[in-house]
Amino acid sequence: MNDKIEVSIVINAPVARVFAAVSEPSEFGQWFAKGVDGTFEVGEQPVIDEGDYGKFRLAIVASESNRYFAYRWVSGGAFVPNGFLGDPLGHPNTLVEFFFEEVPEGTRVRVVESGFASLPEAYAKANYRDNVGGWGYQMAQLKLFVEPK
Amino acid sequence: MSNAQLFSALGDVNRLDLLSRLSPDTPRTLSQLASGAGISRQGVRKHVQVLADANLVRLEPKGREVLIRANPERLDEGIEMLHALTRRWQVKLEALKSFVEEKG
């Protein structure tokens, strides 16, 4: 899968604490969203409130204690500016995966969102340009994103 | 032109390599691209066509040859989309870190 983004961060807290902050709706609603309606059990479809970005329905696809949490959604915020409350699984969607790993400083959380190539243009359009770079810079960035790891 | 087509065109090691050897200012011929590509001339032709269909390169007929020119504007659209999404996740993870570390 080449159409993905990946971001990670190290948090100074035990894995169990960080996993709870992601996988429990009452906690998730305090840092990711303004609130969550529903549960994060696998197979459920809770709605998260992202304030100005709108409300989004998630489809929870996996929750493995202290290791892995994943959902699908019709990619939020930047490309569906008014939210999306339909069944995510019935539309072109992206998969969001959280990986949790114990490190000496605490916990590394890695987020991988993939599936952008499946999104129709209406969802995946961006018309503005970075003025920073030339072709070489753009190629370097591109390789970081799309080269098989 | 959909970004799905863009990402699909980019999702190939040979095409990425060809793109990295093209420039918007100095067009190259198929023969020039094929030499040193490590794949057959026919293979290069096929990959260039995929890049052209996705608007990542422009083809300019000149005599019996075709000049191939990179179109970085098209690439910018896809990159900017990924940048915006990446920035968004970075902000989210910073929020998670603050939330966990401050609440304990």
Side-chain angles (χ1 to χ4, degrees), chain A residues 52-79:
Chain A
D52 292 343
Y53 284 116
K55 294 182 177 180
F56 295 86
R57 191 178 297 280
L58 313 183
I60 309 297
V61 296
S63 183
E64 300 171 18
S65 190
N66 300 337
R67 201 190 74 76
Y68 181 70
F69 181 76
Y71 63 82
R72 290 185 175 276
W73 66 346
V74 175
S75 191
F79 302 106

Side-chain angles (χ1 to χ4, degrees), chain B residues 28-98:
Chain B
R28 308 188 70 180
T29 65
L30 200 61
S31 306
Q32 287 170 333
L33 268 188
S35 90
I39 51 175
S40 72
R41 185 186 162 93
Q42 198 52 38
V44 172
R45 181 192 296 278
K46 188 186 71 180
H47 287 306
V48 166
Q49 189 58 54
V50 173
L51 294 172
D53 289 345
N55 206 18
L56 279 161
V57 301
R58 298 220 161 92
L59 305 181
E60 302 167 8
K62 190 181 181 187
R64 296 182 59 208
E65 279 282 13
V66 173
L67 294 179
I68 304 154
R69 194 187 292 273
N71 178 25
E73 284 80 8
R74 178 67 182 120
L75 195 54
D76 286 351
E77 293 175 26
I79 288 171
E80 185 53 46
M81 183 194 114
L82 292 174
H83 275 165
L85 289 162
T86 302
R87 278 194 295 273
R88 189 157 174 270
W89 275 115
Q90 279 163 347
V91 168
K92 291 289 191 193
L93 287 187
E94 290 291 341
L96 172 63
K97 182 179 170 74
S98 300

Side-chain angles (χ1 to χ4, degrees), chain A residues 41-117:
Chain A
E41 304 297 320
V42 174
E44 292 295 311
Q45 293 200 350
V47 172
I48 65 169
D49 180 355
E50 284 208 78
D52 292 343
Y53 284 116
K55 294 182 177 180
F56 295 86
R57 191 178 297 280
L58 313 183
I60 309 297
V61 296
S63 183
E64 300 171 18
S65 190
N66 300 337
R67 201 190 74 76
Y68 181 70
F69 181 76
Y71 63 82
R72 290 185 175 276
W73 66 346
V74 175
S75 191
F79 302 106
V80 201
N82 301 310
F84 188 88
L85 290 173
D87 177 359
L89 302 180
H91 295 79
N93 61 65
T94 53
L95 174 66
V96 175
E97 298 173 287
F98 290 85
F99 297 89
F100 304 83
E101 178 195 359
E102 190 175 340
V103 294
E105 304 90 330
T107 304
R108 177 183 300 282
V109 182
R110 190 161 55 89
V111 171
V112 179
E113 184 169 10
S114 59
F116 297 108

Side-chain angles (χ1 to χ4, degrees), chain A residues 2-3 5 7-13 17-18 21-22 27 30-32 50 53 71 73 75-77 79 96 98 109 111 113 116-117 119 121 124-126 128-130 135 138-139 141-143 145-148, chain B residues 1-5 7-8 10-13 16-17 19-24 56 70-73 75-90 92-97 99-101 103-104:
Chain A
N2 293 308
D3 57 331
I5 57 176
V7 180
S8 74
I9 200 168
V10 172
I11 296 174
N12 182 19
R17 175 71 199 94
V18 181
V22 173
E27 305 239 7
Q30 292 181 62
W31 64 270
F32 189 104
E50 284 208 78
Y53 284 116
Y71 63 82
W73 66 346
S75 191
F79 302 106
V96 175
F98 290 85
V109 182
V111 171
E113 184 169 10
F116 297 108
L119 301 183
E121 188 175 18
K125 196 168 185 175
Y128 46 107
R129 285 188 59 177
D130 233 339
W135 181 246
Q138 304 289 36
M139 277 310 298
Q141 292 299 312
L142 173 71
K143 282 182 176 249
F145 281 121
V146 302
E147 269 190 348
Chain B
M1 188 64 59
S2 75
N3 277 318
Q5 187 176 14
F7 286 114
S8 168
L10 292 172
D12 179 277
V13 174
L16 277 180
D17 182 54
L19 258 191
S20 70
R21 295 166 55 211
L22 283 165
S23 120
L56 279 161
N71 178 25
E73 284 80 8
L75 195 54
D76 286 351
E77 293 175 26
I79 288 171
E80 185 53 46
M81 183 194 114
L82 292 174
H83 275 165
L85 289 162
T86 302
R87 278 194 295 273
R88 189 157 174 270
W89 275 115
Q90 279 163 347
K92 291 289 191 193
L93 287 187
E94 290 291 341
L96 172 63
K97 182 179 170 74
F99 172 69
V100 170
E101 291 183 352
K103 193 178 173 187

